[in-house]
């Protein structure tokens, strides 16, 4: 993306985190995310009290999806791909990690690997990215990690 589309760290610092359900509604929407929607997601995902319930909600919705979870997860992953593309340095890791999780759960190992590598490059200390990267690299089947990722909210 061009620099004019990039979101600045200042814009994110001035934004209050949204609730997990609101963030999921944005991820599930069929309309294009506007700039404020992207900002809301990027400002919220660094907070584990938002990020972790979002993972659980998305994976639960995927398991219950009438047309199959893989398509649903690919759609959510695509939305996160778009969001992490406009993230400033230091804010990429959470969105890229969730992209990696949902791509892995959809059976898209190559996409998951690329996203997780980007997450680690942005924040080498982002432990969730390392954990999921190890699971994907070891060819752990997605279903094996799903229950641990859903966990209690």
């Amino acid at each position: 993306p061009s620099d004019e589309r990039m979101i600045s760290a200042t814009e994110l610092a001035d934004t209050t985190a949204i609730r997990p359900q609101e963030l999921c509604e944005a991820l599930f929407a069929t309309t294009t995310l506007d700039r404020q929607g992207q900002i809301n997601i990027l400002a919220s995902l660094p907070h584990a009290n938002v990020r972790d319930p979002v993972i659980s909600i998305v994976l639960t919705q995927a398991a219950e999806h009438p047309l199959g979870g893989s398509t649903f997860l690919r759609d959510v992953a695509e939305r996160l791909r778009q969001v992490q593309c406009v993230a400033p340095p230091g804010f990429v890791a959470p969105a890229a990690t969730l992209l990696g999780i949902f791509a892995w759960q959809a059976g898209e190992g190559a996409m998951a690997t690329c996203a997780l590598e980007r997450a680690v490059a942005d924040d080498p200390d982002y432990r969730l990215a390392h954990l999921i990267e190890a699971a994907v690299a070891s060819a752990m089947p997605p279903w094996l990690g799903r229950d641990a990722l859903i966990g209690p909210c």
Side-chain angles (χ1 to χ4, degrees), residues 8-143:
S8 73
T10 303
E11 288 175 281
L12 296 174
D14 293 340
T15 302
T16 303
I18 59 175
R19 295 179 309 112
Q21 191 58 46
E22 291 176 85
L23 196 148
C24 287
E25 288 169 10
L27 291 175
F28 301 164
T30 56
T31 58
T32 303
L33 270 176
D34 62 11
R35 186 174 181 83
Q36 189 58 52
Q38 294 171 333
I39 290 169
N40 288 341
I41 290 171
L42 289 170
S44 301
L45 286 180
H47 304 280
N49 65 331
V50 175
R51 180 201 65 206
D52 294 351
V54 165
I55 294 169
S56 181
I57 292 166
V58 170
L59 293 178
T60 300
Q61 289 280 352
E64 298 169 355
H65 201 273
L67 298 176
S70 293
T71 300
F72 173 77
L73 287 168
R74 282 186 200 99
D75 290 345
V76 172
E78 174 57 24
R79 190 161 299 254
L80 283 164
R81 187 196 63 76
Q82 294 167 3
V83 168
Q84 59 100 37
C85 281
V86 297
F91 287 88
V92 173
T97 299
L98 264 65
L99 166 57
I101 289 170
F102 301 142
W104 173 47
Q105 291 295 305
E108 300 289 341
M111 181 190 300
T113 298
C114 290
L116 294 163
E117 287 174 354
R118 183 149 194 245
V120 170
D122 179 66
D123 184 351
D125 296 323
Y126 201 71
R127 293 186 324 189
L128 183 58
H130 286 287
L131 178 68
I132 303 302
E133 187 177 45
V136 172
S138 69
M140 178 186 286
W143 56 267

